[in-house]
Each structure stands twice: as structure tokens, then as C-alpha cells.
């Protein structure tokens, strides 16, 4: 070795788990037990260099690879029967301030609750991400994210400054690229693609950096939103035995009307965010969870006005939420609204997710964004399918959730998240633990969803009322002509007019289509 030279330290190999390893059965499945794969190996990487090493070797060997961050993908994008190599990001879970970028670095395996804990305890800031504590940053951020602070601070991607991605060139070489929000960055398009186009499309994300667009200076405590010191939490329910079609329809209509009226970014009600769980009758009740920034002027009055608007024309008193609220556990202690420190409330919501905490469940899910209130045919379908007697599964529900506010302050084309005009969204969900229940469960949710949107080909096409679907709630049926009979393809439902740009970015950064799944961005025809 020449005098003065420094020896090159080879990249250590990641932990690799094969079928002979006792850990293998636990590492080839995610949260949804419908999807279990049989890859040749699962690589638990802990550095960007290791990711590049695994990617390049898989390409060289002609192996199909997929990526797991938190394991919460609702479809078979990661644990597909054809996958050969899984890159498991769970060991890449660090959260730190990066002074060189004036931004907070978050690795994709970090669970959201750990991101919130670290950012808030250390610097008093946060990102407006989701409620489920187990979801990891990897897929959540790439898909645009959603959370209880969205009406006040926008989507989590509205604070994304940069992303580090391992891509594959046309010759099969793995390359690590750092792409930023800066318009002068030659890789700006790659950053843009990771602001709502979903995971597994362009490469392997190994790090995100967060800094709000209007942040200045070098003080970390001023570079991201500061959550409210306290929030006001409320949970109430209406028993199904007291509801008829007229009162149910009025409640649902009132919810949509309130959000249509209060969707402006300047509306003081951006301090309020809610989840309205329309449970199947077998669950016993439907329920409403509301969070209000307790430091906002007249926070208690904002909550009272919201509940009054929701119950306008209804003479059925609400009760404590003693039954499950969609995916959330009962919350009877929140019938009188309770003040909580923000981080305590965030942990309360995150860990109170009854179904997400059960590792044995199978599930199916669907989504819709709403630009306006439900049509009469929509509310009729909601009532019909939620009161059907041929289903006795209390996990079946439709969860309505607040949108608008600061989410709507961003243009549809400014990020890959294109549903900025939506005022609320809906998520259909059903779980089961016995595989024998799958056929009946799928029949119910498909009859419900595709029947509700029968007037538009079985899906919520972007128009004056509906606005497509949420990629973080992926749904394979959207691409199946048996269920989507509209002229609107699945990628328009997810990405609207942003899809051609995403295809161009795909061609630039993944010309071999190394990173693909059942609903990945396709290469352009030319």
C-alpha cells in the first residue's frame, strides 16, 4: 500500500435471514396476514451502503426485490408471491438533527411514534403525520401521509426538504442520490416524486430530511411546526338501536356539510380535526373522535359548535364511546372533553388502535376523497350496507376523516399529492382472523364500495363531488375491470394529472423498472 494512503474499509454485510433461520416466518409477512411471501432472503440493512450493496447484487443476479419499512402496506406490494429478495429497513430507524442540511434526518424504519417522541422531547417540534404508532416513516411519507394536525399544518410531505434514494441506472449500477426541494437541484424531480407517489417506485429511500418551507435560521426549534402544548379530546357515539335511516343520513350529511363550509386554510376551525367512524350495525354504535388545539381561542366553543352542527336536526343524544370506533379502541372516558398534553394525546391515539395491535388479522380496505358532500345515492348506500343482516362482523366500517385547511393551501401540482381540493376522505375497512371468512368479507366490502359509486363506474372518479383515492390506502381492485368499469384508470384515481410527470421521473431514475409492484408507476410508452 502506498505511503500515506488510507485503507478502504469494505461495507459489512447486512444481517441476512433465509428459510433455514428460525426468524424467517416473522420476517416474511407484514401487518396484513393476507400476504406472506417466500423470498430467498430478507436483508436487514443498517446503512445506505448496505442498501446499495443488496440492490446491486439483486440486479446482477436477476432477482426481484421489494422493500419493507413498517410492514403496514395494505396490499401485497412488499410480500408478493414472486419476490426473491426483501430489503428490511427496520434497523434504519434513527432520528437526528442534521446541521449541514438545517433539517431533521429521519430514517425510513423509524416508527411514527418514535419520530414524534424524539422531535418533540428534544426540540419541541413535530411533523403532521399519522395516528398509528407502528407505521414507519418509509411508506407513510412517500405516500403523502395524513394526520390529526393536517388541517393546521398540512401533510407531512409539505415539510419534506430532501430525500436520499438508492436508484438503479440502465446498466444495473446502484447509485445513491440526494434530492432536495430546491428548484435548482438537478434531482428536484426525484424529491417531488416522493411527496405522494407511494413507495417502491423509484428506488429505496434511505433517509428523509424535514424542514418547513418558510423556516429560516439555524435553530432546530424553529425549523418545523410546534404542536399545541395541549389538545382537547372528545369521543362520543350514537347507538344503532336509536338510529333510523333518516337520522343516520342527517348525521352523515351534517359531517360533510361542516367540512365543505370550513375547508379554507384561513378558517379558525383548522384547529379542529375529527374521525367519524360509521361502524356496521353489529358493532352497536357509530362514533366520533375530535381533537382541537386547546391553545386556540375559544377551543371549547369550537368543539361545541362542531358537535352542534353535526347533530343539527337530530334529537338523539350522543353517549360515551363504549364500543370500538373503527380501528380505535373504546374511549368512554372522553365523553366529557378532556385536555391532554399533545404528546400524551398522540400516544393515546396511536397505541389505542385495537386492530393494528393484533398481529393475527387479515384485512381489506378502500378509500375515497370527497370534494363536496355525499350525494343522496352515497348516503343511501352507506346506510344499506352498514345495516345489512347478512354480515355480523363488527370490525366492518367506513371512517370519515377531516381534510382541507392547510392541506388546501398547496397547489395540486406542487407535490405528487394531488387531492388538495378534497374537504374530507373516507376509508372502508374490514378485518377477520379466520381465513374461511375472507370470501364473505371481500364480497361485503366490494359490494359496498363499488355499489356506492355505481353511477361513476364503481370508483370515486375525480369530479365535482369525489376526487379519487389515497395511495397510502392501496386497493388492487381499482385496476381490475371487474370492479372499475369507468374510463378512469387506477393511476388517475391516485395521482390525477400528476401521473405523466411521474412516468417521466420513473424513466429517468428507474429505466430498468427494477422497483415495481402491482400498482407501481409505469414506464412511459415512448
Amino acid at each position: 500500500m502506498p505511503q500515506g494512503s488510507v485503507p478502504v474499509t469494505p461495507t459489512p454485510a447486512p444481517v441476512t435471514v433465509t428459510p433455514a433461520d428460525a426468524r424467517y416466518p416473522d420476517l416474511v409477512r407484514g401487518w396484513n396476514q393476507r400476504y406472506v411471501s417466500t423470498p430467498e432472503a430478507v436483508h436487514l440493512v443498517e446503512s445506505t451502503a448496505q442498501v446499495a450493496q443488496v440492490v446491486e447484487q439483486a440486479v446482477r443476479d436477476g432477482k426481484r426485490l421489494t422493500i419493507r419499512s413498517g410492514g403496514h402496506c395494505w396490499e401485497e406490494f412488499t410480500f408478493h408471491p414472486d419476490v426473491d429478495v426483501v430489503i428490511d429497513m427496520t434497523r434504519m430507524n434513527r432520528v437526528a438533527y442534521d446541521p449541514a442540511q438545517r433539517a431533521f434526518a429521519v430514517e425510513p424504519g423509524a416508527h411514527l411514534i418514535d419520530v414524534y417522541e424524539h422531535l418533540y422531547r428534544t426540540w419541541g417540534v413535530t411533523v403532521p403525520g399519522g395516528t398509528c404508532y407502528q407505521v414507519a416513516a418509509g411508506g407513510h411519507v412517500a405516500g403523502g401521509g395524513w394526520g390529526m394536525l393536517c388541517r393546521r399544518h398540512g401533510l407531512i410531505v409539505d415539510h419534506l426538504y430532501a430525500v436520499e434514494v438508492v436508484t438503479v441506472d440502465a446498466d444495473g449500477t446502484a447509485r445513491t442520490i440526494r434530492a432536495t426541494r430546491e428548484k435548482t437541484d438537478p434531482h428536484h424531480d426525484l424529491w417531488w416524486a416522493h411527496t405522494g407517489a407511494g413507495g417502491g417506485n423509484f428506488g429505496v429511500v434511505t433517509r428523509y430530511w424535514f424542514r418547513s418551507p418558510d423556516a429560516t435560521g439555524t435553530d432546530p426549534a424553529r425549523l418545523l411546526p410546534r404542536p399545541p402544548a395541549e389538545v382537547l379530546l372528545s369521543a362520543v357515539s350514537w347507538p344503532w338501536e336509536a338510529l333510523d335511516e333518516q337520522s343516520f343520513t342527517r348525521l352523515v350529511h351534517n359531517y360533510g356539510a361542516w367540512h365543505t363550509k370550513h375547508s379554507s386554510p384561513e378558517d379558525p376551525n383548522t384547529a379542529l380535526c375529527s374521525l367519524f367512524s360509521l361502524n356496521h350495525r353489529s358493532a352497536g354504535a357509530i362514533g366520533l373522535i375530535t381533537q382541537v388545539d386547546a391553545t386556540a381561542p375559544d377551543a371549547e366553543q369550537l368543539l361545541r359548535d362542531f358537535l352542534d352542527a353535526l347533530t343539527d336536526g337530530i334529537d338523539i343524544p350522543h353517549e360515551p364511546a363504549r364500543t370500538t370506533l373503527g380501528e380505535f379502541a373504546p374511549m368512554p372516558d372522553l365523553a366529557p372533553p378532556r385536555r391532554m398534553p399533545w404528546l400524551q394525546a398522540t400516544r393515546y391515539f396511536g397505541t389505542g388502535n385495537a386492530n393494528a395491535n393484533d398481529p393475527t388479522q387479515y384485512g381489506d380496505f378502500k378509500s375515497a376523497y370527497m370534494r363536496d358532500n355525499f350525494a343522496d345515492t352515497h348516503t343511501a348506500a352507506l346506510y344499506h350496507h352498514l345495516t345489512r343482516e347478512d354480515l355480523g362482523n363488527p370490525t366492518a366500517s367506513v371512517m370519515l376523516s377531516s381534510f382541507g385547511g392547510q392541506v388546501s393551501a398547496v397547489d395540486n401540482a406542487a407535490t405528487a399529492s394531488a387531492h388538495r381540493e378534497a374537504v374530507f376522505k373516507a376509508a372502508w375497512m374490514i378485518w377477520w382472523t379466520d381465513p374461511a371468512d375472507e370470501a364473505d368479507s371481500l364480497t361485503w366490502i366490494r359490494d359496498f364500495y363499488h355499489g356506492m359509486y355505481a353511477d361513476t363506474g364503481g370508483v370515486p372518479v375525480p369530479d365535482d363531488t369525489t376526487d379519487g383515492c389515497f395511495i397510502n390506502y392501496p386497493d388492487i381492485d381499482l385496476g381490475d375491470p371487474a370492479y372499475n368499469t369507468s374510463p378512469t384508470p387506477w393511476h388517475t384515481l391516485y395521482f390525477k394529472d400528476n401521473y405523466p410527470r411521474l412516468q417521466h421521473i420513473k424513466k429517468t431514475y428507474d429505466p430498468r423498472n427494477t422497483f415495481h409492484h402491482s400498482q407501481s408507476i409505469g414506464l412511459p410508452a415512448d
Side-chain angles (χ1 to χ4, degrees):
M1 179 180 296
Q3 186 176 4
S5 63
V6 177
V8 176
T9 303
T11 301
V15 172
T16 297
V17 174
T18 65
D21 193 303
R23 293 169 290 178
Y24 182 83
D26 277 313
L27 302 187
V28 296
R29 67 186 69 218
W31 168 70
N32 190 350
Q33 298 306 298
R34 289 179 70 192
Y35 307 115
V36 179
S37 62
T38 56
E40 297 173 7
V42 178
H43 299 284
L44 289 93
V45 293
E46 55 182 334
S47 70
T48 301
Q50 285 186 353
V51 171
Q53 182 183 72
V54 172
V55 168
E56 194 159 283
Q57 187 65 50
V59 172
R60 187 180 303 122
D61 295 341
K63 304 296 185 182
R64 183 184 172 191
L65 62 88
T66 57
I67 308 108
R68 178 199 194 275
S69 52
H72 270 254
C73 183
W74 285 0
E75 288 288 2
E76 34 73 291
F77 295 175
T78 295
F79 299 107
H80 190 278
D82 295 339
V83 66
D84 301 307
V85 174
V86 174
I87 301 177
D88 188 310
M89 310 296 290
T90 53
R91 298 183 72 189
M92 294 186 67
N93 56 13
R94 293 170 284 265
V95 179
Y97 177 65
D98 182 348
Q101 297 292 322
R102 289 196 306 116
F104 297 91
V106 176
E107 291 183 331
H111 288 162
L112 291 181
I113 191 62
D114 296 325
V115 175
Y116 305 148
E117 292 265 3
H118 202 89
L119 291 177
Y120 190 64
R121 290 185 186 280
T122 310
W123 298 284
V125 299
T126 194
V127 286
T131 56
C132 182
Y133 78 101
Q134 298 172 326
V135 170
H140 181 73
V141 177
W146 177 90
M148 296 295 278
L149 294 177
C150 72
R151 285 172 52 81
R152 184 66 102 186
H153 297 296
L155 300 177
I156 193 169
V157 292
D158 297 337
H159 304 270
L160 181 65
Y161 175 70
V163 60
E164 182 178 77
V165 190
V166 174
T167 63
V168 176
D169 291 342
D171 64 359
T173 302
R175 184 161 60 120
T176 301
I177 299 173
R178 184 175 297 182
T180 73
R181 189 170 58 210
E182 304 296 340
K183 295 293 181 63
T184 56
D185 187 335
H187 299 298
H188 175 79
D189 270 0
L190 187 61
W191 165 85
W192 181 88
H194 285 86
T195 61
N201 283 308
F202 308 99
V204 184
V205 174
T206 54
R207 193 171 298 127
Y208 293 111
W209 284 268
F210 294 96
R211 183 198 335 139
S212 297
D214 58 352
T216 59
T218 59
D219 181 358
R222 297 180 179 275
L223 299 179
L224 281 176
R226 300 183 71 84
E230 283 188 325
V231 293
L232 190 64
L233 297 185
S234 167
V236 297
S237 67
W238 292 266
W240 265 114
E241 63 184 17
L243 294 171
D244 58 15
E245 184 168 4
Q246 182 178 1
S247 55
F248 172 86
T249 300
R250 185 62 182 259
L251 278 169
V252 172
H253 182 272
N254 287 348
Y255 185 88
W258 186 93
H259 283 84
T260 301
K261 181 179 180 180
H262 297 288
S263 63
S264 167
E266 291 77 32
D267 194 300
N269 287 280
T270 58
L272 183 150
C273 192
S274 70
L275 297 162
F276 194 13
S277 182
L278 307 179
N279 300 321
H280 186 266
R281 182 188 290 275
S282 58
I286 62 175
L288 178 75
I289 304 170
T290 310
Q291 175 178 293
V292 184
D293 176 353
T295 68
D298 300 320
E300 289 83 359
Q301 189 62 48
L302 289 177
L303 177 59
R304 284 194 294 270
D305 289 347
F306 175 61
L307 291 174
D308 286 347
L310 196 70
T311 55
D312 180 53
I314 306 295
D315 59 2
I316 304 168
H318 54 70
E319 300 179 354
R322 297 188 180 93
T323 62
T324 56
L325 302 169
E327 57 189 342
F328 294 95
M331 301 178 183
D333 52 324
L334 297 183
R338 183 202 290 187
R339 284 178 173 261
M340 282 190 196
W342 172 79
L343 189 57
Q344 182 187 29
T346 300
R347 182 170 283 282
Y348 178 91
F349 272 142
T351 58
N353 191 325
N355 290 298
N357 291 334
D358 184 345
T360 70
Q361 300 222 60
Y362 302 71
D364 197 63
F365 314 90
K366 299 181 182 299
S367 69
Y369 284 104
M370 300 298 299
R371 290 186 62 181
D372 202 348
N373 209 345
F374 288 121
D376 290 345
T377 54
H378 296 158
T379 51
L382 285 165
Y383 183 80
H384 169 67
H385 290 285
L386 291 171
T387 58
R388 279 170 53 176
E389 299 292 339
D390 59 335
L391 180 84
N393 186 338
T395 72
S397 69
V398 180
M399 180 71 81
L400 310 182
S401 53
S402 297
F403 218 60
Q406 285 302 314
V407 176
S408 301
V410 178
D411 185 79
N412 284 350
T415 65
S417 298
H419 305 89
R420 300 293 181 158
E421 295 160 310
V423 296
F424 66 100
K425 62 181 178 67
W428 282 251
M429 55 191 81
I430 187 169
W431 291 270
W432 60 94
T433 54
D434 184 346
D437 293 332
E438 179 165 318
D440 288 345
S441 298
L442 293 181
T443 296
W444 176 82
I445 198 170
R446 285 168 170 165
D447 286 353
F448 189 166
Y449 183 79
H450 301 294
M452 182 163 168
Y453 297 112
D455 291 345
T456 52
V459 294
V461 300
D463 58 23
D464 291 340
T465 301
T466 53
D467 203 32
C469 306
F470 186 23
I471 185 59
N472 270 2
Y473 302 164
D475 177 11
I476 293 296
D477 286 353
L478 298 176
D480 188 335
Y483 302 108
N484 179 0
T485 60
S486 79
T488 306
W490 63 266
H491 50 75
T492 300
L493 294 169
Y494 287 140
F495 310 119
K496 298 175 67 175
D497 294 339
N498 287 338
Y499 189 65
R501 182 178 177 186
L502 291 167
Q503 288 186 289
H504 173 75
I505 298 168
K506 175 77 168 180
K507 182 177 180 180
T508 300
Y509 292 97
D510 187 22
R512 299 167 58 101
N513 199 26
T514 298
F515 303 96
H516 63 274
H517 52 71
S518 302
Q519 286 182 334
S520 55
I521 306 298
L523 290 167
D526 57 359

